[in-house]
Amino acid sequence: MTVTPLGLAVAQFAPAADGAANLDTISDLVARAASRGARIVLFPEYSSYFVDPFDASLAAHAQDLDGPFVTALTDLAARHGVHIVAGLVERAASSDRVRNTVVAVDAGGVVARYRKLHLYDAFGQRESDWVEPGGIETPETFEVNGIRFALMTCYDLRFPEVARILADTGAHVVLVAAEWVRGPLKEDHWRTLLQARAIENTLYVAGADHPPPLGVGHSVVIDPLGVPVASIGTATDVAVAAVDAAVVDRVRRVNPALALRRYRVVPRE
C-alpha cells in the first residue's frame, strides 16, 4: 500500500465546566482544521469537562465511552471525514474517582483509547485524589492511510519509557493530549520533552494543551528530527502539519537508534 502524507492538526482551547460549550468549541475547531486539510485533529486533556481546582463535580460529569461526549465526537468525525482525538473524564468503578482517558474516534466510533498511567502528583498538585491511574496493558493504536498513531496523556510525557513502549507498537506518530500547568520553566519543559520524545524514538510527536492562564499553550507538532513543524502560541486555534511515514523511515535509516538499543522496557507491576 502506498503511504501518503496526512494532515495532522493540534487544536488548542480551554475546556470548562460546561460540556455543551466545550463541544461547541470543539465543533468550530474541527471544522477549521478540516478546512485546512487535516485528517486527524488532536484536542487537549479533559476536553469533555474541566474545573480548577478539581472537586466532586468531576465525578458527577464523568461519562462512559459510549456516552454523549464520545457520540458527539463521532458525529463530528463523520461530518468532516476526520479522526478526532480528545481527553474525556471517564466514569470509573469507584464513585468518587474518575478515569483520565483519551479517545480516538472516526465515523464509526472509538478506534483507540488510552488511560493516563502516571497521575500528576507533582508541583503541588494531587491528581490521584480525584483520578484512578490506568492499568499496564497493551497500548491501543489506530491507522489512517498506513500511518499508525498512538496516544499519550500529559504527565506521561515525563516518563520516556511510555513513549518507547508506544514506539514499539510501530507507531509513526504519538499524540499527546495535555493540560500542562503553567509555572516557572514549564513552557521550556513542555517543548523540550516533546522534542526529546520525538528525537529518541525517531517519530512524530504532537501535543495539544490548554492555553493560559492555566495551561502553557504552545501546542505543536514535532518531526522525527525534533523540529517543530506547526505550532500555536497562546490563542484558541488550530495548527496543521503534514505527517509522513516515509520521513520516519528515512530518519530511522540514518539514525537506527531503536534497532541498536540493548535494553527493553518492562513494567514494575
Side-chain angles (χ1 to χ4, degrees):
M1 179 177 62
T2 301
V3 178
T4 58
L6 284 179
L8 165 62
V10 285
Q12 182 169 286
F13 84 108
D18 184 336
N22 293 339
L23 281 171
D24 285 344
T25 302
I26 289 170
S27 179
D28 289 343
L29 293 175
V30 168
R32 191 182 307 179
S35 73
R36 298 180 188 177
R39 294 282 307 282
I40 315 292
V41 189
L42 170 64
F43 285 91
E45 182 181 20
Y46 292 113
S47 284
S48 68
Y49 183 87
F50 184 74
V51 61
D52 179 62
F54 284 168
D55 58 27
S57 71
L58 203 66
H61 287 83
Q63 300 184 23
D64 295 322
L65 293 182
D66 59 356
F69 180 74
V70 173
T71 298
L73 294 186
T74 301
D75 291 344
L76 281 171
R79 186 185 316 159
H80 295 284
V82 298
H83 283 66
I84 299 173
V85 179
L88 163 71
V89 180
E90 184 190 2
R91 186 173 288 115
S94 169
S95 61
D96 59 346
R97 292 206 294 173
V98 301
R99 291 175 174 139
N100 183 337
T101 302
V102 176
V103 292
V105 306
D106 67 4
V110 176
V111 294
R113 63 108 177 104
Y114 177 92
R115 292 179 177 130
K116 191 175 186 179
L117 295 174
H118 300 90
L119 300 182
Y120 189 61
D121 289 358
F123 297 94
Q125 306 288 320
R126 285 281 304 175
E127 189 177 28
S128 64
D129 287 345
W130 306 97
V131 180
E132 66 178 41
I136 304 297
E137 55 191 17
T138 301
E140 296 182 6
T141 63
F142 66 97
E143 289 193 17
V144 183
N145 287 14
I147 300 177
R148 182 171 295 180
F149 295 84
L151 309 175
M152 186 193 293
T153 310
C154 201
Y155 192 50
D156 286 332
L157 188 64
R158 291 186 179 271
F159 300 83
E161 58 272 22
V162 177
R164 181 53 51 87
I165 288 290
L166 298 179
D168 282 343
T169 69
H172 301 98
V173 186
V174 172
L175 304 173
V176 184
E179 201 287 289
W180 199 265
V181 180
R182 292 188 75 194
L185 300 177
K186 294 294 289 296
E187 290 92 341
D188 292 330
H189 290 190
W190 170 242
R191 182 63 65 89
T192 298
L193 290 166
L194 288 166
Q195 289 179 289
R197 299 296 85 87
I199 293 166
E200 69 198 6
N201 293 295
T202 54
L203 44 63
Y204 291 92
V205 176
D209 190 28
H210 297 210
L214 294 177
V216 302
H218 298 286
S219 300
V220 64
V221 181
I222 309 288
D223 79 5
L225 289 173
V227 178
V229 291
S231 62
I232 306 168
T234 57
T236 295
D237 203 354
V238 300
V240 182
V243 294
D244 189 345
V247 172
V248 175
D249 293 340
R250 183 166 64 248
V251 170
R252 288 178 177 175
R253 284 195 298 271
V254 175
N255 175 25
L258 291 179
L260 294 173
R261 62 194 166 131
R262 299 177 65 186
Y263 292 90
R264 61 187 176 90
V265 177
V266 295
R268 293 181 65 184
E269 298 176 14

